[in-house]
Amino acid sequence: MAFSGDGVTQLDIPPLADTLELENDLFLDFAGLQGQIEFNVVMGQVSVTAQTAGLRLSSPGQGELRLGQIQVESDSSRGIAGLMLGKGSFEIEQIAMHDWQRDFGLDVRNIAISAQTFAEAENINILASYSVAAIDIDKQRFGPAQLEIELTSISAEAMARIQENIQEMQRQQVPPQQQGMAIMGVFMSVMPSLLEQNPGMSLKKFELNTPQGMIQASLSLKVDDMSITDMGVSDKFLQKLVGDASLQIPESVLRQLMANSTRQQIQIELSKEQDEPVEMPAPEAIEQFVEQQVSAQLESLIGQGLLERKGLDLVTVASLKAGLLSVNGKMIPLPPMQ
């Protein structure tokens, strides 16, 4: 470390020469980790790079967890309101899990996560993206998949106050059972300054390729000149929200999701009647009932115009403005908020 405040820390964890035996018949193979941290304590700058060829945790005859090559990069510096701003990325070549007794396998490849925070006037914007090349599970392949999330016009002053209060709670060692209420109190105290900046949140992109086809979705929601008192009045609250959303999903996928939800609900209802002498329905009868329920619900949503068929897909486009909700071009009355 130099007198100027510059410093460098080298990271070098050597690989295991031999497999390490842990407790409970577990074995670890580790390929080592190398990296470097460059910093300047005066300017508040930190740059991190680290990489490892991965590790393997296994139990003979039971299963294994394998992590492929991992790469981490981060570059940040102290910015507006003393917040650390910058960018970072995390990449992992593969995550593979195998349960040989249950004949279950999960293989996720080429995971990439990146995030960026930057100042714009007195506010902070945050952009995060996630991607996966392929997911193999239960002999089916999903992917590639992409997800992008953006937060805009977040008050830097409010974020700094939240950070300071959380650090103070850590210093005072506030009990876990009290932390939830304390954090909620902090958020409510900074809410007026947050709302003043008209913050927004958007799911800029969601794409997932499935064996039945592509799922695509987007969502944006922004506050428009809302005050803290507006949040307590349902009509004013909705008037001050502006949003858009879209979804395109293969009908077969939506049917499967709805069927799983219906089965879970049936199981919950049947479990409530276990102490009563009720004849359990046959599995075939349950499946027939599930199929009828899903078909009826889907046709009802399509009949109301909430969903539209587009080839093998179901699509919907919605917008919210001035307290009015439009779905597929049809105005939908909003239920009163409590």
Side-chain angles (χ1 to χ4, degrees):
M1 182 173 176
F3 284 107
S4 62
D6 293 308
V8 178
T9 299
Q10 300 289 341
L11 305 175
D12 189 3
I13 302 176
L16 293 174
D18 300 303
T19 300
L20 177 64
E21 184 174 359
L22 307 175
E23 297 180 353
N24 301 320
D25 200 28
L26 288 176
F27 295 85
L28 174 66
D29 293 284
F30 178 56
L33 182 146
Q34 297 78 38
Q36 179 173 286
I37 303 174
E38 299 181 32
F39 58 89
N40 184 295
V41 294
V42 177
M43 302 298 294
Q45 298 173 337
V46 181
S47 178
V48 179
T49 60
Q51 57 278 326
T52 174
L55 61 85
R56 178 175 179 264
L57 188 65
S58 61
S59 177
Q62 300 291 321
E64 69 170 2
L65 168 65
R66 187 170 62 253
L67 302 181
Q69 182 176 342
I70 300 173
Q71 177 76 34
V72 178
E73 294 185 3
S74 174
D75 190 0
S76 60
S77 59
R78 189 181 300 115
I80 184 174
L83 297 171
M84 295 298 290
L85 307 178
K87 58 184 179 180
S89 64
F90 173 86
E91 298 179 2
I92 181 167
E93 180 185 34
Q94 182 185 40
I95 298 178
M97 292 186 292
H98 297 282
D99 186 331
W100 295 315
Q101 289 190 331
R102 296 178 177 82
D103 191 26
F104 172 81
L106 171 65
D107 190 358
V108 185
R109 291 192 295 279
N110 296 331
I111 304 167
I113 302 172
S114 64
Q116 181 179 5
T117 56
F118 56 93
E120 188 172 294
E122 301 298 319
N123 298 325
I124 301 296
N125 293 345
I126 303 171
L127 177 63
S129 63
Y130 309 82
S131 66
V132 176
I135 304 171
D136 292 329
I137 181 172
D138 195 22
K139 300 178 181 179
Q140 294 189 87
R141 170 161 292 188
F142 296 82
Q146 289 185 310
L147 173 67
E148 290 186 6
I149 299 175
E150 185 177 35
L151 302 177
T152 57
S153 299
I154 308 299
S155 168
E157 177 188 354
M159 290 291 291
R161 287 173 59 189
I162 292 173
Q163 179 177 281
E164 290 171 1
N165 279 272
I166 292 177
Q167 292 173 345
E168 183 63 26
M169 281 192 296
Q170 293 173 342
R171 284 193 293 267
Q172 295 182 3
Q173 298 182 345
V174 176
Q177 59 271 24
Q178 299 178 14
Q179 291 179 5
M181 290 299 296
I183 292 175
M184 180 62 69
V186 173
F187 271 98
M188 292 305 297
S189 68
V190 302
M191 188 62 70
S193 56
L194 280 171
L195 294 175
E196 285 177 3
Q197 305 304 316
N198 292 333
M201 180 279 293
S202 65
L203 174 64
K204 299 185 68 175
K205 177 190 288 187
F206 174 76
E207 294 182 353
L208 171 62
N209 193 34
T210 75
Q212 295 90 349
M214 179 73 75
I215 301 175
Q216 296 178 306
S218 65
L219 169 69
S220 67
L221 195 62
K222 184 178 178 64
V223 171
D224 185 15
D225 195 27
M226 182 183 295
S227 68
I228 189 68
T229 55
D230 292 333
M231 297 184 65
V233 183
S234 60
D235 291 341
K236 289 185 177 181
F237 178 75
L238 292 174
Q239 288 280 341
K240 301 297 179 66
L241 286 179
V242 179
D244 294 284
S246 67
L247 172 67
Q248 179 169 332
I249 183 172
E251 183 172 344
S252 58
V253 174
L254 185 57
R255 281 182 174 273
Q256 183 178 350
L257 294 174
M258 295 175 68
N260 291 340
S261 176
T262 303
R263 290 190 194 97
Q264 291 177 359
Q265 187 61 40
I266 292 174
Q267 291 174 357
I268 293 173
E269 294 298 326
L270 291 176
S271 65
K272 295 179 180 178
E273 301 174 354
Q274 285 183 350
D275 297 333
E276 302 178 9
V278 178
E279 183 179 353
M280 299 293 290
E284 297 81 4
I286 292 178
E287 286 304 308
Q288 183 179 7
F289 175 76
V290 168
E291 180 64 27
Q292 292 173 348
Q293 286 289 103
V294 170
S295 295
Q297 292 171 6
L298 270 181
E299 293 304 324
S300 175
L301 292 172
I302 293 171
Q304 297 175 55
L306 300 179
L307 291 174
E308 293 182 352
R309 281 194 171 97
K310 182 180 178 182
L312 299 178
D313 296 337
L314 293 170
V315 300
T316 185
V317 178
S319 65
L320 174 65
K321 188 174 183 179
L324 301 175
L325 176 64
S326 171
V327 180
N328 292 331
K330 180 181 179 180
M331 300 306 300
I332 304 295
L334 292 170
M337 297 180 59
Q338 300 297 327

